[in-house]
Amino acid sequence: DKQIEAAFTEALYNGDFKVYYQPKVSGTDYRLVGGEALTRWFKDGTIIPPMDFIPVIEQNGTICLLDFYVLEQVCKDITQWIKAGIKVGRISVNFSRKHLSNPHLVEDIMDILRKYEIAGRYIEIELTETVDEVESSLLIDFIKRMRYHKVRISIDDFGTGYSSLNMLRSFSVDVLK
């Protein structure tokens, strides 16, 4: 764990994290409709599996740096695809629920989208389910504010945390996983 923590910031700075896209395909006509951004850490010629580093950086909070790094890379890629004339679908980017304590989260996300001139319709923020009432209220506020900017929200691992079916009415999310 200490080795991961020590190497993480330098690896992020050096661009040792690469973003790959898992396609999302329509179940009715098999068209490509978007994708999910996944990150892989390349260290000394090998890939460090996410299960070896995500729990460590989730616990110490530095995962927030990785989430914004991935969002920025996604926005760069979308910009290149649009300029190349490629039809772009919505790309989902995983964000730790640790971000919910950031009162400027929506502004921070939108600043990156504006920097690359990316419309909200191209991005979906995927959060893991909240674990308590405080996080849930922060999530509800975050969802409302992101929807204003046309950014979709999905909840990953639904049913494993605090949420109930009644809370779905409050969340008003676009996708449950």
Side-chain angles (χ1 to χ4, degrees):
D1 289 0
K2 295 290 183 206
Q3 290 176 328
I4 296 289
E5 286 182 32
F8 172 76
T9 305
E10 183 178 343
L12 199 59
Y13 179 78
N14 291 337
D16 294 343
F17 290 89
K18 305 297 180 204
V19 175
Y20 292 88
Y21 296 94
Q22 180 174 302
K24 290 183 180 180
V25 177
S26 166
T28 55
D29 60 7
Y30 307 108
R31 284 180 309 109
L32 180 65
V33 294
E36 179 176 355
L38 304 172
T39 188
R40 297 296 178 257
W41 183 357
F42 287 85
K43 184 175 185 333
D44 302 326
T46 61
I47 298 174
I48 298 176
M51 65 185 161
D52 289 354
F53 70 89
I54 295 292
V56 175
I57 63 174
E58 176 84 34
Q59 184 160 358
N60 72 18
T62 55
I63 191 153
C64 295
L65 298 173
L66 180 61
D67 293 343
F68 276 107
Y69 174 92
V70 171
L71 178 63
E72 186 139 1
Q73 187 60 54
V74 166
C75 289
K76 285 179 187 176
D77 290 344
I78 290 172
T79 298
Q80 289 177 348
W81 297 334
I82 291 171
K83 285 181 180 174
I86 298 170
K87 186 174 187 255
V88 178
R90 189 179 308 269
I91 304 296
S92 66
V93 179
N94 292 295
F95 263 61
S96 168
R97 60 177 192 256
K98 294 231 182 230
H99 288 281
L100 293 174
S101 64
N102 173 1
H104 306 289
L105 178 58
V106 172
E107 291 80 8
D108 293 345
I109 291 170
M110 294 313 299
D111 284 348
I112 292 174
L113 271 66
R114 280 188 213 97
K115 177 180 177 181
Y116 294 95
E117 300 178 359
I118 301 297
R121 72 178 181 272
Y122 291 113
I123 300 294
E124 178 177 302
I125 301 295
E126 185 174 313
L127 289 153
T128 52
E129 186 179 359
T130 58
V131 295
D132 61 31
E133 194 169 344
V134 172
E135 275 189 353
S136 291
S137 69
L138 292 170
L139 178 59
I140 291 166
D141 180 61
F142 173 72
I143 291 168
K144 286 178 187 173
R145 295 179 65 210
M146 290 308 297
R147 289 184 82 120
Y148 173 80
H149 295 288
K150 309 288 189 249
V151 175
R152 283 177 75 178
I153 302 295
S154 64
I155 302 295
D156 197 10
D157 296 333
F158 180 78
T160 61
Y162 180 76
S163 299
S164 69
L165 292 177
N166 286 335
M167 291 195 72
L168 285 180
R169 285 191 289 259
S170 300
F171 283 164
S172 187
V173 297
D174 299 294
V175 178
L176 286 178
K177 290 175 74 180

